[in-house]
Each structure stands twice: as structure tokens, then as C-alpha cells.
Amino acid sequence: MTRKLLPILMMMVVLSPLAIDIYLPSMPEMALEFSVSDTQVQSTLVLFILAMGIGQILIGPLADRFGRRPIALLGICLYIASSLFAASVVEFEYLQLARVLQGIAACATSIVVFSAVRDRFNAQQSAHYYSYLNGVICVIPALAPTLGGFLALHFGWRSTFIFMTLFAILVLFIVAFRLPETRPDHKNNHTALYRWARYQPILANSQFVFYALTCMMGMASILTYVSYAPSWIIKHLQLSELTFSYLFGFNALINIAACFIAPKVIKQLGNHQTVVVALWLFILSAVTQVVMQQIPVESALLAGIYFMLPMLLLCVGFALLLGPATSMALSAFGERAGTASALLGCIQMSGAALLTGLLQQTQFSAPYASVVMIGTGGVILLLTMSLPAYKHWHQEQVSCH
């Protein structure tokens, strides 16, 4: 059963990154068609992530109450409807609304995927499976921008949302016929869905809070990179959409390799030490970016490469970070895995969206915005882990069901 489960989860987990990455090269065209600024177009990305995070607070308890399968099916149906909506809008505000709905839909599938892993595997196994799933997620940034650029070039940017619709229909059929129910049996299904008592024990767990914030910092770093890169490469440096896709895709390929190597690193170092290594890579990425920006350049392509190279370290660090951090955040929860996953997703996604949105209000250029986000988060978390008084925040805990 477990061997059959992983490929299904891999298909489902693609929906979220696909909705983020496939239309990145189309952003300048979308800004032109709707007569809006680059920052407004970037808001469609931030709104998606924000909705994906906030929606999990609502959907997580539903996954615990009614099971993983029905939530997955409803989420995919909403994803199909919102993708069609986005493909047909004529006013920018409706595109933003479509992205909010799409974010809510994506969060439903995300909760089911991560809860199903926690349902079926222990903490150490979960870290490995999360890393494999993250490896699949990382394939999308390597392929989606190039595919999206091709679709936009030949059929317009709306075709990227049509593609999302068709892919989601395929996933719907697979989930409808092949996804088993993984939710543990509950003794009491009659308590209120949204009450503080459901969330309080999770938020009172210091390990959960620490690793949720760690995931948030990692996601904020990646979101800063993804949201700033298109305008910096295409608009500021005047490189083509295709060049952007190649540079972005190369980093994503490195990320893919790192995600599939991550389980071996976790097995060798353990969850805790892998997180430490990942955070050091974040700091190294920020330092390298500062150094790269001091080097004189004579070509736009070289400037683009100098911007993207430090992001390789970020990609590798993120690949190493997310699996063990997610696993350790959820390790103390058994039948509440859906609610815990929801809170984790809310903190990770919504927090990252808010931090990135705030950063976009500053005057930092793309390289230094990345330095601020990546470097500050890495330093704060590593300093916290170095203090003996906070050891209980991040040390391994035994799972209880």
C-alpha cells in the first residue's frame, strides 16, 4: 500500500508549485495587458501563497474530521474551477480573486499529502518521504517556466492556466480511483471543528513552533527569490524570458539533485544536524550574494549569473531544510496530524507571504532583498539553536499517538 501511495501523493503535490512557476515568464506580458505595475503582478504570487496558508487553518480540521480523500477531491475540483476562472478574466482584480481561490484549493491538496505521510510513516521515515516529495516539487521550477514561456509565446499567458486546469483534471481521476483513506480512526467526531482547544496543545509545543518558524523563514527566502527574480532578470537586466527560464531552471535542477540526496544526508546526520547544515548554507548564500554584487560586470548575462549563483546555495539549503524541519514539527502529533499540518502550513505560507510583501515595500534591489531575508533568518535561527536555554525547542522528541 505504501509503495502505491507515494506516486499518487507525488502527482498531487505538483499542483501547488505548478500554480506558482508556470506563469513567471508571462508576468511582463500580464502587466502590459492589464496595465498594472510589476509589483501588482507579483501580488498574484503573494496572494496565492497567503491564501494557501490561511486556508489551511480552515481545511486542516476538516481533513481530520471527514478524512483525507474527500478533502483532496474537493480541493482539486476547486483548483480546476479557479484555474478556468483565471484563464477567462478581463479585469485584474478578478485575476487576484482567482489566485486566492486557487491558493485555497492548493492548500487542501497540500494538507492531504503531508498528513497522509504522517499517517503512514514514523518521524524518521516521514523526513525521507517529505524529501522525496520536495524533490518532485523542485522539478516543477526546472520545467514549468520553460513550458509556460513556450505556451505564452504561442498561445498567450492564459494558456498557462488552461494547462493547470487540464493537469488538475488528470490528478482528479487518479485521486478519485486510486487514493486510499489514510486518516487514523477517531474516537470522537462530534467536537467543534474550530475551537481553541484543538490548536492550543499544538501551539504550546515549543518544538512545533520553532520548526514552523524555521519552515516559514525557508519559504520566505524562496518566495523572495522567486518573486524578485523575473523582474530583475527580464526587466532590470533586459534579458529574454527564455534566458530567465534557463537560469531559473538550472537552479531548480540543482535543487532537484539536492532533494533526492537529502534523505541520505538526513540518514547520516539526523534531522537536527541536517537543519543546522541547511541554515549555514542560507547564511553562506547571503554572504556570497553580497560578494557577487561587488564584482564589476560588463554584460547583462554575467550580471544575471552573478545574481543566480548564490541562489544555488539557497536552493540546496532549502532542499535540506524542509524535510527534517517539517518532520520534527509534526513528530509529536498522531491523530491530530491534519490540524498540526494546517497550522504548520499557515505559519509557513502566510508568514512567508507577509514577510515577502513587507520586503517588497522597501527600496532594496533584488540581490539585497534576498540578502536581508535569507541572511537575517539564518542568523537568528542558528543563534537560537546555539543557546542551551532553548535546547528543548529544537531537540528530537519521541512521537506519541
Side-chain angles (χ1 to χ4, degrees), residues 135 138-140 142 251-261:
C138 294
V139 170
I140 305 308
N251 277 14
L253 287 173
I254 299 299
N255 203 351
I256 294 167
C259 282
F260 283 99
I261 292 171

Side-chain angles (χ1 to χ4, degrees), residues 285-328:
S285 171
V287 172
T288 306
Q289 185 68 262
V290 172
V291 172
M292 287 292 188
Q293 294 308 310
Q294 310 312 311
I295 302 174
V297 290
E298 297 183 0
S299 73
L301 178 60
L302 200 57
I305 292 172
Y306 282 179
F307 170 71
M308 292 299 242
L309 276 178
M311 298 307 174
L312 287 176
L313 295 169
L314 170 65
C315 290
V316 173
F318 186 69
L320 292 177
L321 179 76
L322 210 55
T326 300
S327 179
M328 292 179 74

Side-chain angles (χ1 to χ4, degrees), residues 78-89 98 102 161-162 165 169:
L78 179 58
Y79 189 98
I80 292 168
S82 57
S83 298
L84 281 174
F85 182 28
S88 61
V89 296
Q102 202 174 28
F161 288 92
I162 295 295
T165 304
I169 290 171

Side-chain angles (χ1 to χ4, degrees), residues 53-64 111 192-206 208-209 333 336-347:
I54 294 175
Q56 297 196 36
I57 293 250
L58 303 175
I59 296 170
L62 295 176
D64 282 344
I111 285 174
L193 277 175
Y194 306 111
R195 58 193 181 95
W196 177 243
R198 176 181 289 271
Y199 300 103
Q200 192 275 332
I202 300 170
L203 291 173
N205 185 301
S206 56
F208 172 84
V209 172
F333 308 101
R336 294 193 183 197
T339 302
S341 295
L343 276 175
L344 175 63
C346 180
I347 294 168

